[in-house]
Each structure stands twice: as C-alpha cells, then as structure tokens.
DNA sequence: ACCGTTTGCGGATACGTTTGCAACGTCCCG
DNA sequence: CGGGACGTTGCAAACGTATCCGCAAACGGT
C-alpha cells in the first residue's frame, strides 16, 4: 500500500492538515515542519498527483500534439519541451496524429481535459475547427498563427527572403517552389517572403511533407524551366536531391536546392543542404514558458494574465549556405 | 465550468451512480443507458481522469522513457506506442533523458508514481539500478533484457549472423565492429552473433550512437586492416559513410558498411545503406500490449498475470542489402 | 495586567468519480 | 395467489489531498 499523508501525520504526531501545510509551504513552525519532512522522507512519501489535481484543479501535466514524431523537426521541438517541462516538474503527454486532421481534433479534445494546457505543433486543422475545440486560454500554437490564440512562430517569410536573395545573387531567375500540405499556414508564410520580388516563381505540388513527397516533386520540378528550387522542408529537399541524383542531374551545377528547418539530416545529405534554419528546441522551450505564464504555472510570480494582448513570440530565422546551391547554369 | 456526472445525471433524470454505470459498462437497462449516453454526448461530458484515478487506483496513463527522441529509432517506437495507446484510450508521458543515466533513473522514479506502467526504451542504467527504482510488475523493457523484468527485444544476434554471412560471401575476412555506449546490452547482442565464426573482428570505439560518433569512427576504422565495418547503428553508419567519402574512400569498392535498425535515413544515405532491419513500431506496439496485459489493462479478459514466467517477446530481424556493401577488394 | 493581533494547529469539508449495499419493483414458479 | 429470485436503481461511503474556519496560545504595546 502506498504511504499517504495520514501515515506521515501519525508518524510525525500531527494532523493531516499540518502535514499538508508543511509540504506545500503553508504556515507551520520551523520545528514541526522539520519533524514532518523527516517523517515523510523516512516513509518515502510522495503525494498522489490525482488527489492533488482533484482539489487544486490542476494536474501538473501538459499536452504536446505533433503531426509526425518521425519528422526530426517535431522531435526537436518535443525535446525542447520535455526538457524544460522536467525542470519545472511537469509531465508531458505526447500525441502523434499522423498528419490526420480528425485525429488531431480528437487529441485536442481528449488531452485538453486531462492537462493544464496544450501545445499544438503546426496543427493541420482549420482556424475555426481549432477555436471550436481548443481553449484559447490554455493553448499555445507552435509554427502557426491563429487569431485569438497565443503562438510561437519563426519568421519564415524572412527566411524565404534570404533564400531568394541568395539565389538571385547566384544568378537564378526562375525558382520552383514545392508546396506542402494544402496551403498550411507555414506554407503560406514561405510564399509571403516572395511578395514584391520580380523572381519568377513556378509553383509545384502540393506534395506530402516527406522524403517520398520530395522524390515525387523532383520530376515535377525537372519538367519546368526552373534552375533552383525551394522545397517545403528539408525532408522534401532531400527526397528531391535523391531524385535528381537518380536522373543524373548534378547539384548544384544544374540545379540548386534549398530546404527549410535545418534538421540534422540536412548536414548528412549529399551534397549537404543549404537551408533556412529555425530554432526548433528554442521554439519548444519558448512555447512551454509562454503556456506556463498564461495558465499561471511555475513561470512567474504573477497570476494568470488577464488580458493577453500579445499574440505570441516570433523567433528569427537565417539561411545557412551549404553545398546544394551554386551559380545558375548559363 | 466543466460538466460533471452530476450535470449528466440531472439532464438525464437519473442518479449519478446510474450515469457512472451506464458509462463504465455496469448493469443498466438498455433504455436508460441510451438516455444517459445521449445526455453525455449532448453536454460534451468527459470524465475527470484524476477523480477516476483516485478511486480506481489507476490513472489510465503510461510512461515511455527514451534516451533520445531525435534518434529516429526511438521516434518510431514512440509512434507505435502512442498510436496503440490511443486506441485503448490511454495517455502516454514521454521523457527524453538525453542519454543520461541519472536523468533516466529520475524519470523512472517520478513517472513511476503517476502512471500505471512504464515502457523503458533501451535504458542506459545498470541492471541493479534499474531493479532498484522500477517496479518489475509494471515495467516493460524494450531493446534490453534484465532478469526479472518483462521485455521486448529483437533478435539482434541473428541479424549480426546474417550480416557476417553476407560479408563473408562477398569475400570479407576482416571486419571492424564499431561499439556504441559502454557495453550496452544491445551492443553485446550484436557481438554475440559473432561467436563461433572465424571471421577476424577488429573492435573500434566505443563512440556516441550518433552521426558525429560515426564520423569519429571513420578514421579509427581506416587506421585498421578491415575491409568491412559493422556500425553500432544506422546513425553511426551514415556518419562513417560521410567520413569515408571525405577521405576519398569509395563505398563499397574499398570498404563495405553495414548498419543496424533500418531507420528511414538508411534509405536516404549515399550510397543507400545495407542494414539489419528491426521492427520498431511493432516493438513499441508489442511492448505496450505486454504491459497492458501485465497490469490488467484493456488488453485481455483475464486479470493481471499472477506468475509471469515468460521473459518477454523476441522479434525477428533481417538483413536488407542495399548499395553500401560489395565484394571485398583483392 | 489587559487587550488586540498574530501564529500554530486540528477538525471538517470539498473535489468528481466508482462501488457496495439496500430498496424497489416485476416476473416466474410452486 | 403468494413468495422468492432477479434485474434495476438510488443512497452513501470512500479515494488522498488542500484549504477554510475556529480555537488556543503566544506575543507586543500601553
């Protein structure tokens, strides 16, 4: 049988309420607090989170919902989240939705009940669906912006600008853009960075945000006039690289390739991938802190923010140039 | 305010106990059950897990502890686990220990209190430490065997045997073996497959089980006489491949490379990697089912197994031959 | 020495749910 | 036609913890 506060109370010769106060930092005399702590230690007492949660209304748990754990981007975010969560003694539920909107909404609904707050990582659902099922007061979005909800995003449009600038400097005038899942928010941001530029953009796709999607995109890109390509993310870029290699197209001599995210794979590809890097773990950490502050967790001294006028945080991106981009063929 | 069973009860015109029975499958007449379910649906009722857990003693949550989420091997296992867990309506805490033994033990201790059971994925801690802190009755090991605990492992020794057979058939007589973290169980299994073979084995390492570890191993291997190398896992193998390419060593003409795990990266490497494939998601699913059966979850009709004489499950492995292995140089 | 204030502590209550127990009908069989 | 069995339902007691409230004692100031 597990030891409860009652056991500790009788062992220390005090009442249960005194034990509770001694443990949670209420008003107790130093002497009795010492006695209680010693008894608790000796009995190996650990509070029952369920019972605590029942009365305080908070579980000490958070939920993280991602489209695909296999995608290193989300693995990195998850790593940042879990590390930071451990340091503030919170548990993290992780739910992998397999890029499925219905599964995602279901996860939000079911996880939302049993946690203090939710972290939604580039959710696939529409704005309206999201607002309907998620509590804006206890949710932070990552890599997506929805009016009325807090979010942590990277300045992807700027990343695109840098990438295009880089390609133009290398002489490219026609650039293919491989789109990801159906006009996702992140996808639109990528495109937003192209506005006002006179580079000719050839849209390709959409394709799945995976290696296979990239392979598929390879042939589509080659069918067009582009001399360079912006892929939806690094996975797609690497798939593309493979298809180009298989068809004997030299990179970067005949075709330059740029990805997004800078996952570790970008460094391992052949050739190493030029990509728009975004701070993934940092995004996870920032989102968690934002959430804790929002729900009045262990974040700061103040209580839950009554009027969160801020829309969230925007992290910087930057282009890291490797070997997959070069001067345009003449 | 959240809707509780009381709300449902008054909405359906019955008592709370009837609501509870209707929802948990107790003895209720079909008519009232229908009424209750409809009311619950209409109000969007979700039971409070904390309250449920308080009385039933089970939380409906499980813990999954992995050394590194960034490693696709663990991401795959996690995917299998979370998918299956959702289908039986269980939550999954995931904790990333960063390959750190102390963090791992801490995670086991703290997660162990708030969950019904734990899944330990290739834990780095020693047998004794593990047995001290984990409850054998509510823990399943993945990719590791410890006497007295249930586990799901792959027949890695057999995989090694297949790999060595493959290399011998190609004419290799001296094979380097790149070891991973300090004599890990999985590492010893890899070596176990070599017993009784007259192939000369050159031990290298240990190195970190990562891309960088592989880069490091590359030079070590080249300093020896081996014409082929068995890398601790695919990440190491790919790092090795890169280092070999950087030093102008042709693969597989001058050196053959074999990995373990068959993560998706193996297909994307250059050249595509010959590797020992292990069923990762299946391992996660199997481990979860074993755990549920053990703790009497939603697995089967029987109650918790009183005398678990079985040590666990062994899954088959097989060698998948790609382009990183070839005939030995003369 | 007296009174107002603070401090330390125990008792009781509440959180939302499951479940044992008892009461109520209804049906069947003797 | 009466009595026992059974299926269905409500009442109340738990589960382990935090916290409100009340009481006694200690304390400080006049």
């Amino acid at each position: 049988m597990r030891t409860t506060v009652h056991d500790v109370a009788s062992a220390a010769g005090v009442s249960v309420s005194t034990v509770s106060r001694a443990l949670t930092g209420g008003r107790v005399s130093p002497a009795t607090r010492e006695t209680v702590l010693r008894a608790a230690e000796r009995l190996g007492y650990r509070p029952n989170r369920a019972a605590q949660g029942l009365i305080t209304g908070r579980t000490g748990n958070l939920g993280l919902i991602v489209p695909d754990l296999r995608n290193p981007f989300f693995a990195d975010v998850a790593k940042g989240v879990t590390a930071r969560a451990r340091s503030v003694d919170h548990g993290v539920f992780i739910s992998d939705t397999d890029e499925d909107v219905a599964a995602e909404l279901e996860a939000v609904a079911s996880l939302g009940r049993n946690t203090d707050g939710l972290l939604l990582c580039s959710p696939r659902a529409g704005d309206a669906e999201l607002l309907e099922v998620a509590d804006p007061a206890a949710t932070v979005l990552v890599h997506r912006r929805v009016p009325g909800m807090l979010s942590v995003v990277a300045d992807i449009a700027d990343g695109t600008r840098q990438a295009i600038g880089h390609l133009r400097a290398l002489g490219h005038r026609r650039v293919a853009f491989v789109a990801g899942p159906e006009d996702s928010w992140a996808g639109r941001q990528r495109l937003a960075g192209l506005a006002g530029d006179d580079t000719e953009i050839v849209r390709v796709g959409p394709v799945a945000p995976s290696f296979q999607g990239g392979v598929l995109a390879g042939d589509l890109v080659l069918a067009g006039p582009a001399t360079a390509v912006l892929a939806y993310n690094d996975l797609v870029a690497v798939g593309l690289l493979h298809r180009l290699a298989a068809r004997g197209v030299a990179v970067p001599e005949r075709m330059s390739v740029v990805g997004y995210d800078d996952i570790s794979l970008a460094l391992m590809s052949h050739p190493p991938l030029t990509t728009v890097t975004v701070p993934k773990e940092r995004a996870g950490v920032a989102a968690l802190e934002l959430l804790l502050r929002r729900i009045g967790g262990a974040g700061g001294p103040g209580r839950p923010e009554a009027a969160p006028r801020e829309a969230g945080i925007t992290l910087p991106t930057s282009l890291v140039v490797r070997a997959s981009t070069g001067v345009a063929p003449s």
Side-chain angles (χ1 to χ4, degrees), chain A residues 101-230:
Chain A
V101 172
E104 182 174 285
L105 293 172
E106 167 57 24
V108 171
S110 107
L111 240 49
R113 312 276 170 171
N114 310 313
T115 58
D116 297 343
L118 246 41
L119 258 30
L120 292 189
C121 209
S122 39
R124 301 296 193 239
D127 285 16
E129 298 170 297
L130 230 39
L131 281 166
E132 189 173 346
V133 73
D135 175 12
T139 306
V140 170
L141 268 37
V142 180
H143 225 52
R144 162 92 174 259
R145 218 179 260 297
V146 169
M149 292 187 140
L150 284 179
S151 58
V152 172
V153 300
D155 192 352
I156 313 182
D158 183 59
T160 296
R161 249 171 261 127
Q162 297 180 48
I164 288 290
H166 171 63
L167 292 175
R168 282 196 66 87
L170 291 172
H172 296 275
R173 292 295 174 269
R174 293 177 189 179
V175 177
F177 177 87
V178 180
E182 290 286 337
D183 283 318
S184 69
W185 183 86
R188 285 195 303 274
Q189 285 306 109
R190 286 156 169 72
L191 279 170
L194 302 171
D197 198 287
D198 61 346
T199 303
E200 182 182 337
I201 300 297
V202 185
R203 287 202 59 172
V204 167
V207 302
S210 63
F211 179 81
Q212 281 307 324
V215 171
L216 178 65
D219 295 326
L220 298 176
V221 169
L222 284 179
T227 60
V229 47
L230 255 50

